Amino acid sequence: MASGGGVDFEDLLPMMATKLGGEGLVKELCNGFELLMDKEKGVITLESLRSNAAAVLGIEDMKEDELVSMMREGDIDGDGCLSQMEFCVLMFRLSPELMEESWFLIEQALQNHDDELVSNNNKNKSNSSIS
């Protein structure tokens, strides 16, 4: 998605993540969700996206089929609207760089967890052979 200035959304999210940190980025995404959501329903509907997207995102020239496609892509549970969690997941999915960083962090955490399990297992074996 391009904004009026020609900067892709994908280019901004990693920069925001670096500047704000993980918690700050999530807070900003939640703020964005609130700007786009239907205030009565508490979710983003196609109508609320249509009416708020131009003002909030500067994408007044976005076609109807693009809005529908965006909603479908983010609508994980198939209820026709986006919850706050679905919106945040969609924003990450639209940012390949953040997705790569996320996978790296997950792999690193899993490796650390595996290393810890092996270390604990080795300690348990040592302790049982001493007894």
Side-chain angles (χ1 to χ4, degrees), residues 1-2 36 44-75 80-82 87 90-91 94:
M1 281 189 287
L36 294 171
I44 297 174
T45 63
L46 182 57
E47 186 57 41
S48 72
L49 182 61
R50 219 182 266 127
S51 61
N52 298 329
V56 174
L57 301 176
I59 53 173
E60 52 278 327
D61 58 345
M62 201 166 183
K63 296 180 177 96
E64 180 72 11
D65 63 328
E66 293 173 320
L67 292 172
V68 170
S69 178
M70 185 177 173
M71 289 292 293
R72 278 195 192 127
E73 185 174 345
D75 185 15
C81 52
L82 300 180
F87 174 76
L90 177 63
M91 294 301 99
L94 292 175

Side-chain angles (χ1 to χ4, degrees), residues 108-126:
Q108 191 175 34
L110 289 172
Q111 183 60 48
N112 290 342
H113 179 72
D114 288 347
D115 292 346
E116 189 176 306
L117 287 175
V118 169
S119 176
N120 288 339
N121 192 22
N122 288 338
K123 285 179 187 176
N124 289 340
K125 285 181 183 179
S126 295

Side-chain angles (χ1 to χ4, degrees), residues 6-22:
V7 177
D8 284 341
F9 165 81
E10 294 143 14
D11 295 335
L12 298 178
L13 212 53
M15 182 174 53
M16 287 174 60
T18 301
K19 186 173 184 168
L20 301 173

